[in-house]
Amino acid sequence: MSIRNKLYLHSETQQKVVKIPTTILNSLSDDKTKENQQVPLKKRPASPPLHPLASTSSLSQNITPVPSPTPSKKLKRERVLVDAEKVVSACKSKYRPFFTPTIEASDDSPRASPLQEDHVLTLEYPCSGESEKFLLWKPVKMNQRQDALEDDHDEYHPVNDLYQSAFFIYDCYLTTDQQKRLGDASHGVMRNLTKYRNRRNGQAFAQAVNEFNAVVLDFKSDRQLKKLRHPTYDLACHILYQVYSRTVAHQADALNNYQAFSNYVYGEINAILVKEFIERTNITAKSVFMDLGCGIGNVVLQVAAQTACEAYGIEIMDLPCKFAKRQLREYATRMRAWCLPTGKVHFRHGDFLDTTANDMHSTMIRADVLLVNNYAFDAKTNHALAHMFLDLKEGAKIISLKSFVPKHHKINQRTVTMPESILQVKEYEYFSEAVSWTNNSGVYYISTVNRERLKPYYDALVQ
């Protein structure tokens, strides 16, 4: 919630009364002044309030104005991370302590932990002043027989998140010499993180995390951590997983409320295929990327995270667009914590076919790469999109799950004016688990705007 500063201003209709010192009154008319006389001063339009006079030269020259209250600038609330502790605490019924509590003081088994159930650990992130709190719990669910709890591998796991984050910091932000202070997989702090997590020894794990933080803080204070221009693919996926788990995961079931076999069917393109899109279309920091029908914004955020490009998403459905904007806020905060560029990211709510209403036309004509997940779109929507692509710049690329150009389309004098004729299409195969709606493999298409090949046909029409 934004902070509003209340300004208490003097009433403009209130008359100002000041006391004038004797020395000044004596310099004026003797028969019109008396010592300590109160003189009402009429308020001049647009003039500041008067202050008691401090000079004897003249009344008009020695009135020192009191600075009037000026509206203070609206304070911009600095965004902070949504802590893992907060996420888990909000749904504790789905979690249980990860580390086994100690039954007796003499219990020294490798799985024994003297930590309190609500013990919280803090992890230092690469950016100065950025850290996050983690509650050491694990997600659970009822087993198939409904008579006991078992680990839930589909829900957010705060201990694994902390553990993986520490290793990403170690791998991506420390030089080889700096890593020696933390050891490796066979010895030292990094070995202890793995060993005591696996043994469920909470006290030793907490000590390893604290030792890790001490080393990272030392490097942060001297600004010795490596600066990354872009995250690796794995680091980008980890950060986006953190973003999703703190903003959308607990309400993800609501995304399944849509009309089946309609243009509004919700489905996500998975990260591994988005990575391939980026490579095949050569998206860079200078590119403009658009996702028409962006859903909760996962693709837009991944493209921006990996390339720091200018990325736009537009979504017609209320809830997915709301989640996309929620993810964007957390994304910006987390990328700052990891000392990474965010790119320029924008989400808009509206119909991508109505370019005048949502003011996306000016962006679309600058776009280098567009993504349209048109797998479930009807023929009418795909045809309308093809007409909209006539405004794209030369060389712009369109990624789609269905081709906008009929398989046997040929350019001739009859078809040269059709919108499909400006698109040069290539087909690519994707493998299993690349999309959310099926585990099977499939194909996608990259269409490139190429009007140059139509020139001979237009020249023939002119002749």
Side-chain angles (χ1 to χ4, degrees), residues 314-348:
I314 181 168
E315 173 58 45
I316 194 171
M317 292 193 291
D318 294 340
L319 189 61
C321 189
K322 176 183 176 181
F323 285 168
K325 293 178 179 180
R326 185 185 297 174
Q327 284 207 103
L328 176 56
R329 291 191 291 271
E330 182 67 12
Y331 163 82
T333 306
R334 287 206 168 264
M335 292 292 279
R336 183 187 67 203
W338 286 91
C339 284
L340 292 167
T342 61
K344 297 179 180 179
V345 185
H346 308 270
F347 288 114
R348 294 185 183 177

PDB file of all heavy atoms in Angstrom, residues 314-348:
ATOM      1  N   ILE A 314       0.929  -9.616 -23.196  1.00  0.00           N
ATOM      2  CA  ILE A 314      -0.453  -9.165 -23.111  1.00  0.00           C
ATOM      3  C   ILE A 314      -1.336 -10.386 -22.922  1.00  0.00           C
ATOM      4  O   ILE A 314      -1.132 -11.427 -23.551  1.00  0.00           O
ATOM      5  CB  ILE A 314      -0.877  -8.364 -24.369  1.00  0.00           C
ATOM      6  CG1 ILE A 314      -2.327  -7.896 -24.234  1.00  0.00           C
ATOM      7  CG2 ILE A 314      -0.650  -9.146 -25.640  1.00  0.00           C
ATOM      8  CD1 ILE A 314      -2.728  -6.866 -25.273  1.00  0.00           C
ATOM      9  N   GLU A 315      -2.298 -10.266 -22.008  1.00  0.00           N
ATOM     10  CA  GLU A 315      -3.160 -11.391 -21.649  1.00  0.00           C
ATOM     11  C   GLU A 315      -4.583 -10.890 -21.461  1.00  0.00           C
ATOM     12  O   GLU A 315      -4.807  -9.881 -20.805  1.00  0.00           O
ATOM     13  CB  GLU A 315      -2.647 -12.052 -20.371  1.00  0.00           C
ATOM     14  CG  GLU A 315      -3.538 -13.132 -19.790  1.00  0.00           C
ATOM     15  CD  GLU A 315      -3.799 -14.256 -20.784  1.00  0.00           C
ATOM     16  OE1 GLU A 315      -2.834 -14.719 -21.440  1.00  0.00           O
ATOM     17  OE2 GLU A 315      -4.979 -14.665 -20.893  1.00  0.00           O
ATOM     18  N   ILE A 316      -5.540 -11.625 -22.045  1.00  0.00           N
ATOM     19  CA  ILE A 316      -6.935 -11.199 -21.990  1.00  0.00           C
ATOM     20  C   ILE A 316      -7.643 -11.651 -20.719  1.00  0.00           C
ATOM     21  O   ILE A 316      -8.576 -10.998 -20.249  1.00  0.00           O
ATOM     22  CB  ILE A 316      -7.698 -11.705 -23.241  1.00  0.00           C
ATOM     23  CG1 ILE A 316      -9.041 -10.991 -23.368  1.00  0.00           C
ATOM     24  CG2 ILE A 316      -7.863 -13.225 -23.205  1.00  0.00           C
ATOM     25  CD1 ILE A 316      -9.755 -11.270 -24.677  1.00  0.00           C
ATOM     26  N   MET A 317      -7.217 -12.758 -20.120  1.00  0.00           N
ATOM     27  CA  MET A 317      -7.904 -13.280 -18.944  1.00  0.00           C
ATOM     28  C   MET A 317      -7.423 -12.571 -17.678  1.00  0.00           C
ATOM     29  O   MET A 317      -6.218 -12.328 -17.501  1.00  0.00           O
ATOM     30  CB  MET A 317      -7.695 -14.792 -18.826  1.00  0.00           C
ATOM     31  CG  MET A 317      -8.390 -15.570 -19.930  1.00  0.00           C
ATOM     32  SD  MET A 317      -8.472 -17.352 -19.598  1.00  0.00           S
ATOM     33  CE  MET A 317      -6.766 -17.805 -19.737  1.00  0.00           C
ATOM     34  N   ASP A 318      -8.369 -12.280 -16.801  1.00  0.00           N
ATOM     35  CA  ASP A 318      -8.079 -11.460 -15.626  1.00  0.00           C
ATOM     36  C   ASP A 318      -7.068 -12.106 -14.686  1.00  0.00           C
ATOM     37  O   ASP A 318      -6.065 -11.490 -14.324  1.00  0.00           O
ATOM     38  CB  ASP A 318      -9.372 -11.174 -14.844  1.00  0.00           C
ATOM     39  CG  ASP A 318     -10.334 -10.299 -15.625  1.00  0.00           C
ATOM     40  OD1 ASP A 318      -9.877  -9.629 -16.560  1.00  0.00           O
ATOM     41  OD2 ASP A 318     -11.539 -10.284 -15.299  1.00  0.00           O
ATOM     42  N   LEU A 319      -7.339 -13.326 -14.266  1.00  0.00           N
ATOM     43  CA  LEU A 319      -6.508 -13.954 -13.242  1.00  0.00           C
ATOM     44  C   LEU A 319      -5.072 -14.206 -13.703  1.00  0.00           C
ATOM     45  O   LEU A 319      -4.128 -13.853 -12.987  1.00  0.00           O
ATOM     46  CB  LEU A 319      -7.156 -15.254 -12.755  1.00  0.00           C
ATOM     47  CG  LEU A 319      -6.479 -15.897 -11.534  1.00  0.00           C
ATOM     48  CD1 LEU A 319      -6.514 -14.960 -10.341  1.00  0.00           C
ATOM     49  CD2 LEU A 319      -7.154 -17.222 -11.191  1.00  0.00           C
ATOM     50  N   PRO A 320      -4.840 -14.805 -14.866  1.00  0.00           N
ATOM     51  CA  PRO A 320      -3.456 -14.968 -15.310  1.00  0.00           C
ATOM     52  C   PRO A 320      -2.704 -13.650 -15.420  1.00  0.00           C
ATOM     53  O   PRO A 320      -1.528 -13.573 -15.050  1.00  0.00           O
ATOM     54  CB  PRO A 320      -3.601 -15.643 -16.679  1.00  0.00           C
ATOM     55  CG  PRO A 320      -4.891 -16.372 -16.605  1.00  0.00           C
ATOM     56  CD  PRO A 320      -5.790 -15.487 -15.784  1.00  0.00           C
ATOM     57  N   CYS A 321      -3.377 -12.606 -15.914  1.00  0.00           N
ATOM     58  CA  CYS A 321      -2.706 -11.302 -16.026  1.00  0.00           C
ATOM     59  C   CYS A 321      -2.371 -10.744 -14.644  1.00  0.00           C
ATOM     60  O   CYS A 321      -1.307 -10.163 -14.439  1.00  0.00           O
ATOM     61  CB  CYS A 321      -3.588 -10.321 -16.794  1.00  0.00           C
ATOM     62  SG  CYS A 321      -2.750  -8.772 -17.197  1.00  0.00           S
ATOM     63  N   LYS A 322      -3.261 -10.939 -13.694  1.00  0.00           N
ATOM     64  CA  LYS A 322      -3.009 -10.511 -12.318  1.00  0.00           C
ATOM     65  C   LYS A 322      -1.784 -11.226 -11.752  1.00  0.00           C
ATOM     66  O   LYS A 322      -0.916 -10.616 -11.115  1.00  0.00           O
ATOM     67  CB  LYS A 322      -4.236 -10.796 -11.462  1.00  0.00           C
ATOM     68  CG  LYS A 322      -4.071 -10.480  -9.983  1.00  0.00           C
ATOM     69  CD  LYS A 322      -5.318 -10.861  -9.207  1.00  0.00           C
ATOM     70  CE  LYS A 322      -5.128 -10.635  -7.714  1.00  0.00           C
ATOM     71  NZ  LYS A 322      -6.343 -11.038  -6.943  1.00  0.00           N
ATOM     72  N   PHE A 323      -1.692 -12.531 -11.998  1.00  0.00           N
ATOM     73  CA  PHE A 323      -0.540 -13.300 -11.536  1.00  0.00           C
ATOM     74  C   PHE A 323       0.744 -12.847 -12.232  1.00  0.00           C
ATOM     75  O   PHE A 323       1.820 -12.824 -11.625  1.00  0.00           O
ATOM     76  CB  PHE A 323      -0.772 -14.795 -11.792  1.00  0.00           C
ATOM     77  CG  PHE A 323      -1.736 -15.436 -10.835  1.00  0.00           C
ATOM     78  CD1 PHE A 323      -2.239 -16.698 -11.091  1.00  0.00           C
ATOM     79  CD2 PHE A 323      -2.151 -14.790  -9.692  1.00  0.00           C
ATOM     80  CE1 PHE A 323      -3.137 -17.309 -10.215  1.00  0.00           C
ATOM     81  CE2 PHE A 323      -3.055 -15.382  -8.803  1.00  0.00           C
ATOM     82  CZ  PHE A 323      -3.542 -16.642  -9.070  1.00  0.00           C
ATOM     83  N   ALA A 324       0.636 -12.518 -13.524  1.00  0.00           N
ATOM     84  CA  ALA A 324       1.818 -12.053 -14.262  1.00  0.00           C
ATOM     85  C   ALA A 324       2.395 -10.780 -13.638  1.00  0.00           C
ATOM     86  O   ALA A 324       3.607 -10.655 -13.450  1.00  0.00           O
ATOM     87  CB  ALA A 324       1.458 -11.813 -15.723  1.00  0.00           C
ATOM     88  N   LYS A 325       1.519  -9.841 -13.309  1.00  0.00           N
ATOM     89  CA  LYS A 325       1.982  -8.590 -12.704  1.00  0.00           C
ATOM     90  C   LYS A 325       2.526  -8.832 -11.302  1.00  0.00           C
ATOM     91  O   LYS A 325       3.473  -8.160 -10.868  1.00  0.00           O
ATOM     92  CB  LYS A 325       0.840  -7.582 -12.675  1.00  0.00           C
ATOM     93  CG  LYS A 325       0.419  -7.121 -14.079  1.00  0.00           C
ATOM     94  CD  LYS A 325      -0.745  -6.148 -14.040  1.00  0.00           C
ATOM     95  CE  LYS A 325      -1.127  -5.693 -15.443  1.00  0.00           C
ATOM     96  NZ  LYS A 325      -2.257  -4.742 -15.447  1.00  0.00           N
ATOM     97  N   ARG A 326       1.926  -9.777 -10.587  1.00  0.00           N
ATOM     98  CA  ARG A 326       2.430 -10.121  -9.259  1.00  0.00           C
ATOM     99  C   ARG A 326       3.827 -10.745  -9.374  1.00  0.00           C
ATOM    100  O   ARG A 326       4.729 -10.442  -8.588  1.00  0.00           O
ATOM    101  CB  ARG A 326       1.469 -11.096  -8.581  1.00  0.00           C
ATOM    102  CG  ARG A 326       1.838 -11.432  -7.149  1.00  0.00           C
ATOM    103  CD  ARG A 326       0.903 -12.492  -6.578  1.00  0.00           C
ATOM    104  NE  ARG A 326      -0.479 -12.025  -6.521  1.00  0.00           N
ATOM    105  CZ  ARG A 326      -1.507 -12.797  -6.164  1.00  0.00           C
ATOM    106  NH1 ARG A 326      -1.287 -14.089  -5.880  1.00  0.00           N
ATOM    107  NH2 ARG A 326      -2.724 -12.305  -6.108  1.00  0.00           N
ATOM    108  N   GLN A 327       3.995 -11.609 -10.364  1.00  0.00           N
ATOM    109  CA  GLN A 327       5.317 -12.206 -10.571  1.00  0.00           C
ATOM    110  C   GLN A 327       6.358 -11.153 -10.952  1.00  0.00           C
ATOM    111  O   GLN A 327       7.514 -11.226 -10.520  1.00  0.00           O
ATOM    112  CB  GLN A 327       5.247 -13.271 -11.671  1.00  0.00           C
ATOM    113  CG  GLN A 327       4.620 -14.579 -11.242  1.00  0.00           C
ATOM    114  CD  GLN A 327       5.142 -15.752 -12.058  1.00  0.00           C
ATOM    115  OE1 GLN A 327       5.961 -16.519 -11.594  1.00  0.00           O
ATOM    116  NE2 GLN A 327       4.657 -15.876 -13.293  1.00  0.00           N
ATOM    117  N   LEU A 328       5.957 -10.191 -11.744  1.00  0.00           N
ATOM    118  CA  LEU A 328       6.892  -9.146 -12.182  1.00  0.00           C
ATOM    119  C   LEU A 328       7.453  -8.375 -11.001  1.00  0.00           C
ATOM    120  O   LEU A 328       8.647  -8.063 -10.954  1.00  0.00           O
ATOM    121  CB  LEU A 328       6.192  -8.195 -13.164  1.00  0.00           C
ATOM    122  CG  LEU A 328       7.007  -6.993 -13.634  1.00  0.00           C
ATOM    123  CD1 LEU A 328       8.323  -7.430 -14.266  1.00  0.00           C
ATOM    124  CD2 LEU A 328       6.192  -6.143 -14.604  1.00  0.00           C
ATOM    125  N   ARG A 329       6.611  -8.057 -10.019  1.00  0.00           N
ATOM    126  CA  ARG A 329       7.086  -7.326  -8.843  1.00  0.00           C
ATOM    127  C   ARG A 329       8.127  -8.142  -8.075  1.00  0.00           C
ATOM    128  O   ARG A 329       9.171  -7.619  -7.674  1.00  0.00           O
ATOM    129  CB  ARG A 329       5.902  -6.958  -7.947  1.00  0.00           C
ATOM    130  CG  ARG A 329       4.972  -5.908  -8.529  1.00  0.00           C
ATOM    131  CD  ARG A 329       3.981  -5.398  -7.498  1.00  0.00           C
ATOM    132  NE  ARG A 329       2.994  -6.421  -7.134  1.00  0.00           N
ATOM    133  CZ  ARG A 329       1.844  -6.598  -7.766  1.00  0.00           C
ATOM    134  NH1 ARG A 329       1.531  -5.847  -8.803  1.00  0.00           N
ATOM    135  NH2 ARG A 329       0.992  -7.536  -7.359  1.00  0.00           N
ATOM    136  N   GLU A 330       7.841  -9.417  -7.883  1.00  0.00           N
ATOM    137  CA  GLU A 330       8.788 -10.272  -7.154  1.00  0.00           C
ATOM    138  C   GLU A 330      10.043 -10.533  -7.997  1.00  0.00           C
ATOM    139  O   GLU A 330      11.154 -10.595  -7.462  1.00  0.00           O
ATOM    140  CB  GLU A 330       8.119 -11.594  -6.778  1.00  0.00           C
ATOM    141  CG  GLU A 330       8.997 -12.547  -5.975  1.00  0.00           C
ATOM    142  CD  GLU A 330       9.330 -12.039  -4.584  1.00  0.00           C
ATOM    143  OE1 GLU A 330       8.698 -11.046  -4.130  1.00  0.00           O
ATOM    144  OE2 GLU A 330      10.220 -12.625  -3.946  1.00  0.00           O
ATOM    145  N   TYR A 331       9.864 -10.650  -9.296  1.00  0.00           N
ATOM    146  CA  TYR A 331      10.995 -10.851 -10.209  1.00  0.00           C
ATOM    147  C   TYR A 331      11.983  -9.694 -10.122  1.00  0.00           C
ATOM    148  O   TYR A 331      13.202  -9.909 -10.020  1.00  0.00           O
ATOM    149  CB  TYR A 331      10.461 -10.999 -11.637  1.00  0.00           C
ATOM    150  CG  TYR A 331      11.478 -10.822 -12.741  1.00  0.00           C
ATOM    151  CD1 TYR A 331      12.316 -11.861 -13.115  1.00  0.00           C
ATOM    152  CD2 TYR A 331      11.580  -9.608 -13.426  1.00  0.00           C
ATOM    153  CE1 TYR A 331      13.247 -11.699 -14.139  1.00  0.00           C
ATOM    154  CE2 TYR A 331      12.499  -9.439 -14.450  1.00  0.00           C
ATOM    155  CZ  TYR A 331      13.334 -10.487 -14.801  1.00  0.00           C
ATOM    156  OH  TYR A 331      14.241 -10.317 -15.812  1.00  0.00           O
ATOM    157  N   ALA A 332      11.471  -8.480 -10.166  1.00  0.00           N
ATOM    158  CA  ALA A 332      12.347  -7.304 -10.103  1.00  0.00           C
ATOM    159  C   ALA A 332      13.136  -7.284  -8.797  1.00  0.00           C
ATOM    160  O   ALA A 332      14.331  -6.958  -8.775  1.00  0.00           O
ATOM    161  CB  ALA A 332      11.523  -6.028 -10.254  1.00  0.00           C
ATOM    162  N   THR A 333      12.484  -7.650  -7.698  1.00  0.00           N
ATOM    163  CA  THR A 333      13.141  -7.639  -6.399  1.00  0.00           C
ATOM    164  C   THR A 333      14.192  -8.740  -6.305  1.00  0.00           C
ATOM    165  O   THR A 333      15.301  -8.517  -5.803  1.00  0.00           O
ATOM    166  CB  THR A 333      12.101  -7.830  -5.282  1.00  0.00           C
ATOM    167  OG1 THR A 333      11.072  -6.850  -5.425  1.00  0.00           O
ATOM    168  CG2 THR A 333      12.734  -7.670  -3.917  1.00  0.00           C
ATOM    169  N   ARG A 334      13.872  -9.910  -6.808  1.00  0.00           N
ATOM    170  CA  ARG A 334      14.813 -11.034  -6.720  1.00  0.00           C
ATOM    171  C   ARG A 334      16.010 -10.848  -7.642  1.00  0.00           C
ATOM    172  O   ARG A 334      17.138 -11.201  -7.283  1.00  0.00           O
ATOM    173  CB  ARG A 334      14.103 -12.351  -7.040  1.00  0.00           C
ATOM    174  CG  ARG A 334      13.199 -12.764  -5.926  1.00  0.00           C
ATOM    175  CD  ARG A 334      12.927 -14.217  -5.810  1.00  0.00           C
ATOM    176  NE  ARG A 334      12.274 -14.397  -4.517  1.00  0.00           N
ATOM    177  CZ  ARG A 334      12.887 -14.744  -3.408  1.00  0.00           C
ATOM    178  NH1 ARG A 334      14.178 -15.001  -3.423  1.00  0.00           N
ATOM    179  NH2 ARG A 334      12.232 -14.846  -2.272  1.00  0.00           N
ATOM    180  N   MET A 335      15.775 -10.345  -8.824  1.00  0.00           N
ATOM    181  CA  MET A 335      16.907 -10.095  -9.727  1.00  0.00           C
ATOM    182  C   MET A 335      17.862  -9.075  -9.113  1.00  0.00           C
ATOM    183  O   MET A 335      19.078  -9.170  -9.278  1.00  0.00           O
ATOM    184  CB  MET A 335      16.398  -9.614 -11.081  1.00  0.00           C
ATOM    185  CG  MET A 335      15.647 -10.679 -11.871  1.00  0.00           C
ATOM    186  SD  MET A 335      16.690 -12.042 -12.433  1.00  0.00           S
ATOM    187  CE  MET A 335      17.423 -11.307 -13.898  1.00  0.00           C
ATOM    188  N   ARG A 336      17.325  -8.106  -8.382  1.00  0.00           N
ATOM    189  CA  ARG A 336      18.181  -7.148  -7.681  1.00  0.00           C
ATOM    190  C   ARG A 336      18.989  -7.853  -6.594  1.00  0.00           C
ATOM    191  O   ARG A 336      20.179  -7.584  -6.419  1.00  0.00           O
ATOM    192  CB  ARG A 336      17.333  -6.036  -7.064  1.00  0.00           C
ATOM    193  CG  ARG A 336      18.151  -4.942  -6.363  1.00  0.00           C
ATOM    194  CD  ARG A 336      17.235  -3.984  -5.635  1.00  0.00           C
ATOM    195  NE  ARG A 336      16.565  -4.653  -4.523  1.00  0.00           N
ATOM    196  CZ  ARG A 336      15.425  -4.235  -3.987  1.00  0.00           C
ATOM    197  NH1 ARG A 336      14.815  -3.174  -4.480  1.00  0.00           N
ATOM    198  NH2 ARG A 336      14.886  -4.887  -2.985  1.00  0.00           N
ATOM    199  N   ALA A 337      18.361  -8.771  -5.856  1.00  0.00           N
ATOM    200  CA  ALA A 337      19.056  -9.503  -4.796  1.00  0.00           C
ATOM    201  C   ALA A 337      20.188 -10.348  -5.361  1.00  0.00           C
ATOM    202  O   ALA A 337      21.229 -10.530  -4.706  1.00  0.00           O
ATOM    203  CB  ALA A 337      18.077 -10.385  -4.029  1.00  0.00           C
ATOM    204  N   TRP A 338      19.999 -10.836  -6.574  1.00  0.00           N
ATOM    205  CA  TRP A 338      21.032 -11.639  -7.223  1.00  0.00           C
ATOM    206  C   TRP A 338      21.984 -10.779  -8.068  1.00  0.00           C
ATOM    207  O   TRP A 338      22.836 -11.319  -8.788  1.00  0.00           O
ATOM    208  CB  TRP A 338      20.380 -12.703  -8.103  1.00  0.00           C
ATOM    209  CG  TRP A 338      19.770 -13.840  -7.345  1.00  0.00           C
ATOM    210  CD1 TRP A 338      18.483 -13.942  -6.887  1.00  0.00           C
ATOM    211  CD2 TRP A 338      20.412 -15.059  -6.934  1.00  0.00           C
ATOM    212  NE1 TRP A 338      18.282 -15.129  -6.223  1.00  0.00           N
ATOM    213  CE2 TRP A 338      19.447 -15.840  -6.238  1.00  0.00           C
ATOM    214  CE3 TRP A 338      21.698 -15.569  -7.077  1.00  0.00           C
ATOM    215  CZ2 TRP A 338      19.748 -17.088  -5.704  1.00  0.00           C
ATOM    216  CZ3 TRP A 338      21.992 -16.814  -6.546  1.00  0.00           C
ATOM    217  CH2 TRP A 338      21.023 -17.560  -5.866  1.00  0.00           C
ATOM    218  N   CYS A 339      21.835  -9.466  -8.006  1.00  0.00           N
ATOM    219  CA  CYS A 339      22.699  -8.524  -8.753  1.00  0.00           C
ATOM    220  C   CYS A 339      22.651  -8.794 -10.258  1.00  0.00           C
ATOM    221  O   CYS A 339      23.691  -8.873 -10.926  1.00  0.00           O
ATOM    222  CB  CYS A 339      24.149  -8.614  -8.261  1.00  0.00           C
ATOM    223  SG  CYS A 339      24.420  -7.813  -6.680  1.00  0.00           S
ATOM    224  N   LEU A 340      21.450  -8.906 -10.791  1.00  0.00           N
ATOM    225  CA  LEU A 340      21.285  -9.206 -12.209  1.00  0.00           C
ATOM    226  C   LEU A 340      20.374  -8.180 -12.877  1.00  0.00           C
ATOM    227  O   LEU A 340      19.451  -7.656 -12.245  1.00  0.00           O
ATOM    228  CB  LEU A 340      20.671 -10.603 -12.381  1.00  0.00           C
ATOM    229  CG  LEU A 340      21.560 -11.780 -11.974  1.00  0.00           C
ATOM    230  CD1 LEU A 340      20.743 -13.062 -11.897  1.00  0.00           C
ATOM    231  CD2 LEU A 340      22.723 -11.941 -12.937  1.00  0.00           C
ATOM    232  N   PRO A 341      20.616  -7.889 -14.162  1.00  0.00           N
ATOM    233  CA  PRO A 341      19.734  -6.952 -14.880  1.00  0.00           C
ATOM    234  C   PRO A 341      18.383  -7.596 -15.157  1.00  0.00           C
ATOM    235  O   PRO A 341      18.295  -8.798 -15.415  1.00  0.00           O
ATOM    236  CB  PRO A 341      20.500  -6.682 -16.183  1.00  0.00           C
ATOM    237  CG  PRO A 341      21.345  -7.903 -16.378  1.00  0.00           C
ATOM    238  CD  PRO A 341      21.732  -8.371 -15.008  1.00  0.00           C
ATOM    239  N   THR A 342      17.336  -6.797 -15.113  1.00  0.00           N
ATOM    240  CA  THR A 342      15.986  -7.322 -15.283  1.00  0.00           C
ATOM    241  C   THR A 342      15.481  -7.220 -16.711  1.00  0.00           C
ATOM    242  O   THR A 342      14.559  -7.947 -17.096  1.00  0.00           O
ATOM    243  CB  THR A 342      15.000  -6.569 -14.384  1.00  0.00           C
ATOM    244  OG1 THR A 342      15.008  -5.174 -14.768  1.00  0.00           O
ATOM    245  CG2 THR A 342      15.385  -6.688 -12.923  1.00  0.00           C
ATOM    246  N   GLY A 343      16.066  -6.325 -17.517  1.00  0.00           N
ATOM    247  CA  GLY A 343      15.444  -5.981 -18.785  1.00  0.00           C
ATOM    248  C   GLY A 343      14.233  -5.100 -18.526  1.00  0.00           C
ATOM    249  O   GLY A 343      13.840  -4.887 -17.374  1.00  0.00           O
ATOM    250  N   LYS A 344      13.642  -4.576 -19.577  1.00  0.00           N
ATOM    251  CA  LYS A 344      12.429  -3.762 -19.443  1.00  0.00           C
ATOM    252  C   LYS A 344      11.220  -4.655 -19.703  1.00  0.00           C
ATOM    253  O   LYS A 344      10.988  -5.077 -20.836  1.00  0.00           O
ATOM    254  CB  LYS A 344      12.456  -2.596 -20.424  1.00  0.00           C
ATOM    255  CG  LYS A 344      13.587  -1.610 -20.179  1.00  0.00           C
ATOM    256  CD  LYS A 344      13.559  -0.483 -21.206  1.00  0.00           C
ATOM    257  CE  LYS A 344      14.689   0.504 -20.965  1.00  0.00           C
ATOM    258  NZ  LYS A 344      14.687   1.595 -21.982  1.00  0.00           N
ATOM    259  N   VAL A 345      10.470  -4.934 -18.643  1.00  0.00           N
ATOM    260  CA  VAL A 345       9.364  -5.890 -18.740  1.00  0.00           C
ATOM    261  C   VAL A 345       8.041  -5.173 -18.493  1.00  0.00           C
ATOM    262  O   VAL A 345       7.923  -4.384 -17.554  1.00  0.00           O
ATOM    263  CB  VAL A 345       9.535  -7.038 -17.728  1.00  0.00           C
ATOM    264  CG1 VAL A 345       8.435  -8.085 -17.917  1.00  0.00           C
ATOM    265  CG2 VAL A 345      10.908  -7.687 -17.882  1.00  0.00           C
ATOM    266  N   HIS A 346       7.051  -5.469 -19.335  1.00  0.00           N
ATOM    267  CA  HIS A 346       5.730  -4.857 -19.204  1.00  0.00           C
ATOM    268  C   HIS A 346       4.662  -5.919 -19.450  1.00  0.00           C
ATOM    269  O   HIS A 346       4.773  -6.729 -20.371  1.00  0.00           O
ATOM    270  CB  HIS A 346       5.534  -3.722 -20.215  1.00  0.00           C
ATOM    271  CG  HIS A 346       6.626  -2.696 -20.200  1.00  0.00           C
ATOM    272  ND1 HIS A 346       6.579  -1.581 -19.399  1.00  0.00           N
ATOM    273  CD2 HIS A 346       7.793  -2.631 -20.883  1.00  0.00           C
ATOM    274  CE1 HIS A 346       7.676  -0.865 -19.592  1.00  0.00           C
ATOM    275  NE2 HIS A 346       8.425  -1.476 -20.490  1.00  0.00           N
ATOM    276  N   PHE A 347       3.618  -5.880 -18.619  1.00  0.00           N
ATOM    277  CA  PHE A 347       2.448  -6.734 -18.831  1.00  0.00           C
ATOM    278  C   PHE A 347       1.216  -5.853 -18.984  1.00  0.00           C
ATOM    279  O   PHE A 347       1.061  -4.874 -18.247  1.00  0.00           O
ATOM    280  CB  PHE A 347       2.241  -7.699 -17.658  1.00  0.00           C
ATOM    281  CG  PHE A 347       3.260  -8.799 -17.599  1.00  0.00           C
ATOM    282  CD1 PHE A 347       4.163  -8.872 -16.545  1.00  0.00           C
ATOM    283  CD2 PHE A 347       3.335  -9.750 -18.602  1.00  0.00           C
ATOM    284  CE1 PHE A 347       5.111  -9.876 -16.492  1.00  0.00           C
ATOM    285  CE2 PHE A 347       4.279 -10.759 -18.557  1.00  0.00           C
ATOM    286  CZ  PHE A 347       5.165 -10.825 -17.491  1.00  0.00           C
ATOM    287  N   ARG A 348       0.352  -6.235 -19.925  1.00  0.00           N
ATOM    288  CA  ARG A 348      -0.874  -5.477 -20.134  1.00  0.00           C
ATOM    289  C   ARG A 348      -2.059  -6.419 -20.221  1.00  0.00           C
ATOM    290  O   ARG A 348      -1.944  -7.539 -20.729  1.00  0.00           O
ATOM    291  CB  ARG A 348      -0.777  -4.635 -21.407  1.00  0.00           C
ATOM    292  CG  ARG A 348       0.270  -3.542 -21.303  1.00  0.00           C
ATOM    293  CD  ARG A 348       0.277  -2.637 -22.503  1.00  0.00           C
ATOM    294  NE  ARG A 348       1.351  -1.649 -22.390  1.00  0.00           N
ATOM    295  CZ  ARG A 348       1.636  -0.768 -23.327  1.00  0.00           C
ATOM    296  NH1 ARG A 348       0.935  -0.723 -24.440  1.00  0.00           N
ATOM    297  NH2 ARG A 348       2.623   0.089 -23.155  1.00  0.00           N
TER     298      ARG A 348
END
